[in-house]
Amino acid sequence: MGEIVGAGLLAHVPTIVLPEADRLELNEGKEITLVTGLRQLRQDVFERDDYDTVVVLDSHWATTVEFVVTAQDRRAGLFTSEELPRGMSRMPYDFPGDPELAHNIASFADRHGTWITAIDDAYLPIYYATINLWKYLGEGLPDKRWVTIGVCQTGDMEDHLRLGRALADGIAATPGRRVLLIASGALSHTFWPLRELRDHEASDPAHIFTPEAREADFERIAWFKEGRHDKVLDTMDEFWKYKPEAKFFHYLMMAGALGEHACTARARQYGAYENSIGTGQVHLWFDRPADGWTGHGPAAPAAPNRHPAPRTPHSRA
């Protein structure tokens, strides 16, 4: 039986992969703590031997008629970002995938009333919400498998929680698998307009787009540190006013896998809460509590089969 041994809500901003001189120039001569935080997280968690696969819940990869999980034996190539090719250009990546886990996750779609397809196409695009974190946390660890699941742009909160439930069941159904989950994305996520944003590139939270967005982020960070995932989930309508990245679907998928309202895991923070041209960024890591993610044992209990089997979608956009 597989298990989830750790999980994190992590920032992937392009700044972290810029040369150090450029980072210092943008941040008033100081290193951004999103960089130092990832370095420490690698030492504390990702260089350990108690896991074998990382599943990234990627806020930049938006599908339309189904969820997609990568199922290649290996992914390798050069990555150039269509969004910021000046800062992310021809970045090499090379890591093993986990086809067995990917297909097991997809096999639980019907049980949870959703659609999930495992895709092993070598030409499937990859996004920097995965690559930038792999550069810090996976590069140089050649035996660690990495898998990515995208958000679904036509889905809502319930759909992404259902994906998380299927993810947990797929992990549990994979013998011996020990998995780390990464919800890769930001908190509040409104950029400064182009003609203004160069005045707001420093990491100081004073540059967050509005004071209200900053306070909403701080409130949720405090709840995460208290293990109050229930409060985060119960106030999503309020948080959506501040446009969290990808509607916070990356976190909702992770929450669905960890027990949702029953999850009691407390976050520890790596680095500071920082600005990125108006958006709120933070690294929060959740170790599995000794009594399980929900306080009911070593792993989150499997979700009950309370949804009808879905019809196979026939349309493709």
Side-chain angles (χ1 to χ4, degrees):
M1 179 176 179
E3 56 187 327
I4 299 167
V5 297
L9 174 63
L10 305 182
H12 58 243
V13 290
T15 320
I16 65 177
V17 295
L18 292 177
E20 181 179 6
D22 293 347
R23 297 197 303 266
L24 297 181
E25 181 180 356
L26 291 173
N27 196 38
E28 302 171 340
K30 304 183 295 293
E31 179 62 280
I32 63 173
T33 70
L34 295 177
V35 166
T36 57
L38 285 176
R39 290 173 178 161
Q40 187 62 50
L41 179 60
R42 177 180 174 121
Q43 291 179 24
D44 290 353
V45 175
F46 284 78
E47 290 183 348
R48 298 195 316 229
D49 294 329
D50 61 352
Y51 76 99
D52 45 64
T53 298
V54 178
V55 176
V56 180
L57 308 169
D58 188 316
S59 60
H60 274 223
W61 180 16
T63 60
T64 304
V65 301
E66 61 199 354
F67 291 98
V68 176
V69 53
T70 60
Q72 298 91 340
D73 286 317
R74 182 164 218 95
R75 302 196 80 181
L78 298 174
F79 172 77
T80 294
S81 167
E82 85 289 357
E83 180 185 345
L84 280 166
R86 175 172 54 88
M88 293 174 287
S89 178
R90 298 180 67 81
M91 296 166 58
Y93 63 92
D94 186 354
F95 51 81
D98 196 336
E100 180 185 13
L101 176 61
H103 286 284
N104 281 344
I105 294 167
S107 75
F108 282 92
D110 283 3
R111 178 181 181 184
H112 294 288
T114 191
W115 297 271
I116 308 170
T117 304
I119 297 292
D120 63 1
D121 188 335
Y123 295 95
L124 186 69
I126 195 165
Y127 295 88
Y128 72 76
T130 293
I131 290 292
N132 287 3
L133 293 178
W134 175 81
K135 279 292 188 183
Y136 276 90
L137 304 175
E139 191 169 35
L141 301 172
D143 296 330
K144 303 301 187 184
R145 309 179 186 101
W146 282 59
V147 171
T148 299
I149 301 174
V151 301
C152 185
Q153 63 182 331
T154 55
D156 59 13
M157 178 173 174
E158 174 63 19
D159 289 310
H160 288 81
L161 291 172
R162 291 185 186 193
L163 181 282
R165 297 166 195 156
L167 170 59
D169 282 352
I171 292 169
T174 309
R177 200 66 87 246
R178 296 173 65 80
V179 176
L180 300 178
L181 302 182
I182 295 177
S184 178
L187 299 172
S188 64
H189 201 256
T190 301
F191 296 117
W192 287 96
L194 180 61
R195 294 196 304 275
E196 300 177 50
L197 68 79
R198 283 165 177 77
D199 295 327
H200 300 282
E201 291 185 303
S203 64
D204 191 317
H207 295 285
I208 298 294
F209 191 70
T210 66
E212 293 79 11
R214 182 172 59 244
E215 290 309 308
D217 288 347
F218 280 140
E219 185 174 45
R220 278 145 191 85
I221 291 169
W223 287 338
F224 283 133
K225 290 180 177 179
E226 295 167 1
R228 295 304 304 271
H229 297 262
D230 57 333
K231 285 189 175 182
V232 176
L233 293 169
D234 285 341
T235 59
M236 281 306 305
D237 283 344
E238 297 173 22
F239 197 35
W240 282 325
K241 298 174 185 176
Y242 305 107
K243 300 179 180 179
E245 185 166 20
K247 298 187 74 174
F248 223 35
F249 287 161
H250 49 294
Y251 166 71
L252 293 175
M253 291 190 285
M254 184 175 79
L258 300 183
E260 301 167 44
H261 286 75
C263 182
T264 57
R266 295 173 179 261
R268 66 174 187 267
Q269 185 171 338
Y270 282 85
Y273 167 77
E274 295 188 333
N275 163 72
S276 179
I277 56 173
T279 68
Q281 308 288 337
V282 71
H283 299 314
L284 298 172
W285 190 258
F286 304 92
D287 292 307
R288 185 183 57 191
D291 56 353
W293 295 106
T294 63
H296 297 297
N305 185 10
R306 58 181 178 270
H307 304 294
R311 294 179 297 106
T312 300
H314 297 291
S315 63
R316 290 293 184 270

